[in-house]
Structures are given as C-alpha cells and as structure tokens.
Amino acid sequence: MIRFAFRFVGLWILAAAFIFLVYDGTRSIAAGVVLIKPFGETWNDIHAGSLQALQPIMERHSPWLWDPAMLKVLTSPTWLVLGVVGMILVLLGRKKKPLIGYARR
C-alpha cells in the first residue's frame, strides 16, 4: 500500500514538473530569452510563511544544511526540483523484481 502511495504521489509531482517545464518554455518563447522560475520563488508564491519558518529551524539544527544545500535547491529550476523528487518517489514505490532461480515463499 505504501509503494502505491509513493508511486501515486510521485507521478503527480512528475506531472507538476512537466507543467512547470512547459510554463518556463512558453515564457521563454514569449520573451525571446530563457526565463527559468526558481523553486524558491515558486515556494514563496504558494506559501511564503512556511519557507520563512523553515530557515531558522534549519539554521539552528544544522547551519551547513541551509547555506550550501538548501540555497542550491531554492535557486534551481522548479521543474528540475519537482522532477527529481517525483523520480525518487516513483523509484521508491516500484515493485520489486522477482529473484530468478529462487522460490518465493
């Protein structure tokens, strides 16, 4: 059941990543230059309070996690971050391959 939930949520996140890829593409075509919306800006547009609340928590527990790691994620394109998270969830939810030559009991 958990694998199904991982696959289900992962596929929805991958669909959102594709939507943001198309969004960035159409904005870039319309403007005539490459425009990429960073993940931090998207998160801020959706719910600014949670992003602002996350920073002090992460800096208090592990300062190295916020500055190099999380800032890199927040400046990455939205479609890339969502695509990676979606692929990880789909891979975690995949069915295990049967072992060849072994009986399953």
Side-chain angles (χ1 to χ4, degrees):
M1 184 67 184
I2 296 295
R3 286 193 303 217
F4 170 75
F6 280 156
R7 281 194 317 260
F8 183 75
V9 172
L11 288 174
W12 275 101
I13 292 174
L14 281 175
F18 182 71
I19 290 170
F20 277 105
L21 180 66
V22 170
Y23 174 73
D24 283 346
T26 53
R27 280 185 40 208
S28 297
I29 291 171
V33 295
V34 177
L35 297 173
I36 297 174
K37 189 167 187 174
F39 181 66
E41 186 178 323
T42 304
W43 190 351
N44 194 27
D45 291 345
I46 293 172
H47 194 267
S50 65
L51 180 59
Q52 293 170 354
L54 180 67
Q55 182 177 1
I57 293 170
M58 289 182 77
E59 286 178 340
R60 186 172 349 117
H61 292 294
S62 54
W64 60 270
L65 189 61
W66 177 260
D67 192 6
M70 193 63 178
L71 289 181
K72 182 67 176 167
V73 170
L74 291 174
T75 57
S76 297
T78 302
W79 58 267
L80 181 65
V81 173
L82 291 179
V84 168
V85 171
M87 286 190 309
I88 289 171
L89 287 174
V90 168
L91 287 174
L92 286 174
R94 72 175 185 235
K95 294 181 181 178
K96 294 182 180 178
K97 292 183 180 180
L99 298 174
I100 298 174
Y102 294 95
R104 291 216 161 197
R105 295 176 194 210

